[in-house]
Amino acid sequence: MAMDSVLGLMLLGLVLQRIFQGKSLYFNVTDPLWLTAIALVLYLGASLFWSANWSAQDATQLWLRIILCLCFLIVTAEAMLEPEKFLKFFSFVLAMCVLASGIACLIIFFEWPPGDGRIYGLFRLNNAGRAGSIYSAALPFLIAGLFLHSGLKRWLLAAAVPCSLLVIYLSDTRSAWLAGLIGLMAYAIARWRNEPAKFLWTSAVFFAFLLTGLLAFILHPDPEVTRILLPRGDSLRIAIWAGSLEKIMASPSLFGEGYLVEHYVQEGQRGIRGAHNMYLSTTLQSGFLGLTLYVALVVGSALRLLRHIQLPMARLAMTLLI
């Protein structure tokens, strides 16, 4: 939490410095997407106040994160004034972070093997699922950076890609595997079919094949394929989602129960924390109003990016969104 706070205050300092220098900010506060993003972040922060048993410490921690989120949005928008320069800088810095942290994680993993056999990240990523998801999100930036750099920097980026893939694999995080595969395919399609209509139709065909394979696996599971794809079983995801949906339908709410409320789904003798789904979690914590803002932001972003799919940064953003 301390590092979150420091980063948020540093980003706030960058924003204030730009304002004090008399420079105009790039983002447009009247843009519907910006308004939706800001409204969603502020609304989630406000939901703290109808959470049960919140404290001043909770409020301080959450609103420091709100500052971090808002300043990150603004600083990222400012970077879009020079998108290629930003991507070159960011991809290289990210490659250095991936190499340093990835090698450290691998050393710890092989020297002190964890009991569950899954690699863990460092510091706030001390969770296999979280580590796999973060390294998966970094992968498209690393691959995009390969096309922008040359010489030693390209070699370092090329080393960071397999390092990231190895950490993702060893994390045994199936959502990261699937998200990484779909995201990279979306990036490849966007580079190949960089017109909105062509991108849409090609993506539709790809996802139709993917969905067909998934449905075939669900309806007619093969024991050997199941053993390979789901060595840890289904992690009770279907039961968790069904239980979360049942809670929502039992007491539908416009505002939800608040950001700090922990939700548990009972499965046999086990109480499983969290809905393990962003849409269900948003609905439980911030109600149908929060869900509406979240869906509006996702759909609006996808439509905006689709209109500009010929631009490299739009292709990369679409990859991350998917």
Side-chain angles (χ1 to χ4, degrees):
M1 188 62 235
M3 286 307 297
D4 289 355
S5 306
V6 170
L7 181 57
L9 293 172
M10 285 172 62
L11 291 176
L12 177 61
L14 289 173
V15 174
L16 293 176
Q17 179 189 31
R18 189 171 183 86
I19 293 171
F20 292 150
Q21 288 174 344
K23 297 178 181 178
S24 59
L25 293 175
Y26 177 64
F27 77 103
N28 180 7
V29 293
T30 62
D31 181 277
L33 268 183
W34 274 113
L35 287 174
T36 304
I38 291 170
L40 177 60
V41 172
L42 293 176
Y43 175 70
L44 289 175
S47 74
L48 161 83
F49 299 112
W50 57 84
S51 300
N53 302 319
W54 64 274
S55 66
Q57 181 181 359
D58 294 328
T60 303
Q61 290 181 340
L62 180 59
W63 279 92
L64 281 172
R65 288 183 177 178
I66 296 296
I67 291 172
L68 169 62
C69 289
L70 290 175
C71 291
F72 179 79
L73 289 172
I74 296 170
V75 170
T76 304
E78 295 302 297
M80 291 303 100
L81 287 168
E82 298 178 279
E84 186 170 320
K85 183 178 178 181
F86 164 75
L87 184 55
K88 285 183 71 173
F89 173 78
F90 186 71
S91 61
F92 180 69
V93 171
L94 195 60
M96 295 301 94
C97 293
V98 165
L99 279 173
S101 63
I103 290 170
C105 291
L106 289 168
I107 290 172
I108 293 170
F109 177 77
F110 288 111
E111 284 294 322
W112 300 280
D116 59 1
R118 303 172 71 190
I119 196 168
Y120 284 66
L122 304 176
F123 306 111
R124 292 296 296 274
L125 301 183
N126 60 343
N127 172 286
R130 199 177 298 151
S133 299
I134 293 298
Y135 280 87
S136 179
L139 199 54
F141 283 105
L142 301 177
I143 293 173
L146 283 170
F147 295 98
L148 299 173
H149 288 283
S150 59
L152 178 60
K153 288 185 176 181
R154 176 175 282 184
W155 282 106
L156 289 169
L157 279 155
V161 170
C163 179
S164 186
L165 286 170
L166 183 57
V167 172
I168 294 167
Y169 172 72
L170 292 174
S171 73
D172 195 16
T173 305
R174 290 157 302 187
S175 58
W177 295 352
L178 186 60
L181 171 65
I182 293 174
L184 290 175
M185 285 302 300
Y187 184 66
I189 292 169
R191 286 187 65 88
W192 172 44
R193 311 282 279 178
N194 59 1
E195 296 176 16
K198 290 180 179 179
F199 171 80
L200 205 57
W201 281 111
T202 309
S203 298
V205 170
F206 168 71
F207 285 114
F209 275 111
L210 187 66
L211 186 60
T212 301
L214 184 61
L215 287 174
F217 173 70
I218 292 172
L219 296 174
H220 303 285
D222 181 89
E224 185 62 20
V225 175
T226 302
R227 185 187 65 79
I228 295 170
L229 295 180
L230 301 174
R232 293 184 287 112
D234 65 2
S235 300
L236 301 173
R237 287 295 190 271
I238 303 299
I240 293 169
W241 296 336
S244 300
L245 189 59
E246 190 177 314
K247 276 190 172 184
I248 293 169
M249 300 310 294
S251 55
S253 169
L254 183 62
F255 301 108
E257 296 184 20
Y259 184 79
L260 293 181
V261 175
E262 294 280 6
H263 290 275
Y264 288 85
V265 174
Q266 198 67 30
E267 181 61 28
Q269 300 299 314
R270 296 175 59 188
I272 303 171
R273 186 176 70 175
H276 293 267
N277 179 287
M278 280 298 296
Y279 298 94
L280 293 173
S281 292
T282 302
T283 309
L284 284 165
Q285 293 182 322
S286 56
F288 289 105
L289 179 56
L291 178 65
T292 301
L293 288 170
Y294 183 66
V295 171
L297 182 60
V298 171
V299 173
S301 299
L303 293 175
R304 180 76 58 85
L305 292 172
L306 184 62
R307 288 202 299 271
H308 301 282
I309 200 67
Q310 70 278 7
L311 300 176
M313 286 302 293
R315 293 197 291 265
L316 182 58
M318 181 67 86
T319 302
L320 294 168
L321 181 63
I322 291 173

